[in-house]
């Protein structure tokens, strides 16, 4: 530089016995090159070659280039140990995938707003020697992508591809998607290990049936208000590889958790919920009061359902007849 401080020295890194210096210039200005013979008594002719490539990508977070969450951006590692920074604003919870394409062996890092690394990748999952990062972003905000060459001594061009998919349903009970007891809701396991939570309010005692439809191999769980598992199912009773849960429950808040049977796979599904109120209680304490002379409609809504009725007899020494009519094959019991 102009102060005369030596920035680099080389003897014969170039071809034959020529020197070659490659230096990343961080400050614009005047620089000097001094050439001499390797031997203090040697002489000879030479051709002096100078080549300068402007750095089109900043190498600090403070000057990172803004890109869209869904975008394709050209990049180049111009000199040895060059690093390119890109700035992405993520609007909501979801999955961010960043990767490079091309022939350059890239190494990528995903940083949070404070510059702390949240994920990194060399070439696992990427095409060829390109990096690929897939990360579930739980907090919306600013993130940075840092791209460099796998070898600090090498250079090369690349294409940075960014793709963001918002999470349709969150993976916690506290932010579960509310659904109606009788409803159909679209869902997607966007990334490996994704869980979708749904919140359902049951107004009375009855039978709740929840299941998925579609081509995805789903696994479902029914949780009570405290998050304790009430029932779970892989694909027993469901169509193809879909789960199906049928459960007699009391009034209250429940949660449904949906995930892929294989934690490494993804896929779309439809969550179908169907609730049938229990017309008559399943115990003496919840028996339906009826008159001694009456006709009452009833329904055995699910496998193993029983209906209880309570009759007040005010006169002794009389005959009580109780029976059912209809096409259902029923069994009746009379208790004191």
């Amino acid at each position: 530089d102009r102060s005369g401080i030596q920035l680099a020295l080389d003897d014969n890194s170039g071809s034959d016995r020529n020197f070659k210096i490659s230096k990343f210039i961080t400050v614009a200005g005047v620089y000097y090159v001094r050439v001499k013979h390797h031997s203090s008594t040697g002489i000879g002719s030479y051709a002096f070659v100078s080549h300068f490539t402007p750095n089109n990508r900043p190498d600090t977070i403070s000057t990172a280039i803004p890109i869209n969450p869904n975008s394709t951006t050209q990049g180049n590692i111009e000199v040895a140990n060059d690093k390119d920074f890109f700035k992405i604003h993520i609007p909501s919870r979801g999955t961010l995938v960043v990767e490079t394409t091309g022939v350059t062996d890239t190494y990528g890092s995903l940083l949070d707003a404070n510059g702390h690394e949240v994920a990194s990748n060399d070439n696992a999952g990427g095409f060829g020697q390109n990096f690929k990062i897939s990360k579930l972003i739980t907090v919306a905000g600013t993130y940075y992508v840092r791209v460099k060459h796998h070898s600090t001594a090498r250079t090369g061009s690349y294409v940075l591809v960014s793709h963001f998919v918002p999470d349709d349903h969150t993976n916690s009970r506290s932010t579960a998607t509310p659904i109606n007891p009788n409803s159909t809701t679209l869902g997607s396991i966007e990334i490996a290990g994704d869980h979708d939570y749904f919140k359902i309010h049951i107004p009375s005692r009855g039978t709740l049936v929840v299941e998925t439809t579609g081509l995805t191999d789903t696994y479902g769980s029914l949780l009570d208000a405290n998050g304790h598992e009430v029932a779970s199912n892989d694909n027993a009773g469901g169509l193809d590889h879909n789960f199906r849960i049928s459960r007699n429950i009391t009034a209250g808040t429940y949660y449904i958790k949906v995930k892929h049977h294989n934690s490494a796979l993804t896929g779309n599904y439809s969550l179908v919920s169907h609730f049938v109120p229990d017309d008559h209680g399943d115990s003496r304490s919840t028996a339906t009061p009826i008159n001694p002379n009456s006709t009452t409609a009833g329904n055995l809504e699910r496998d193993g359902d029983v209906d209880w009725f309570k009759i007040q007899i005010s006169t002794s020494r009389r005959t009580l007849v109780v029976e059912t009519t209809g096409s259902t094959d029923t069994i009746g019991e009379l208790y004191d």
Side-chain angles (χ1 to χ4, degrees), residues 75-246:
N76 188 29
I77 305 298
E78 294 93 354
V79 295
N81 205 31
D82 184 21
K83 300 179 183 67
D84 292 345
F85 281 83
F86 303 88
K87 182 179 181 180
I88 306 178
H89 178 71
I90 303 301
S92 64
R93 177 189 175 89
T95 301
L96 175 65
V97 179
V98 287
E99 61 183 323
T100 57
T101 61
V103 296
T104 301
D105 186 357
T106 57
Y107 187 99
S109 300
L110 180 65
L111 315 175
D112 63 18
N114 297 316
H116 300 143
E117 186 178 278
V118 295
S120 64
N121 184 269
D122 185 1
N123 51 25
F127 182 74
Q129 293 179 307
N130 289 274
F131 82 84
K132 182 177 183 180
I133 295 173
S134 179
K135 181 70 175 179
L136 176 63
I137 304 297
T138 58
V139 179
T142 298
Y143 291 82
Y144 297 92
V145 181
R146 182 178 63 202
V147 182
K148 63 180 181 179
H149 201 291
H150 170 75
S151 171
T152 58
R154 303 188 65 180
T155 63
S157 60
Y158 62 88
V159 176
L160 176 66
V161 181
S162 175
H163 182 57
F164 177 70
V165 180
D167 194 5
D168 55 351
H169 307 289
T170 63
N171 66 344
S172 69
R173 290 187 298 116
S174 60
T175 53
T177 301
I179 62 172
N180 293 323
N182 294 286
S183 61
T184 298
T185 308
L186 295 177
S188 179
I189 305 299
E190 294 93 358
I191 63 169
D194 185 23
H195 294 175
D196 290 346
Y197 276 82
F198 303 87
K199 181 179 181 179
I200 188 168
H201 179 71
I202 302 301
S204 64
R205 181 184 183 89
T207 301
L208 175 65
V209 178
V210 287
E211 61 184 327
T212 57
T213 61
L215 301 177
T216 302
D217 187 358
T218 57
Y219 187 100
S221 300
L222 179 65
L223 314 174
D224 64 18
N226 297 316
H228 300 143
E229 186 176 279
V230 176
S232 63
N233 184 274
D234 185 1
N235 52 26
L239 182 65
D240 294 328
H241 293 291
N242 289 274
F243 82 85
R244 187 177 192 272
I245 295 173
S246 178

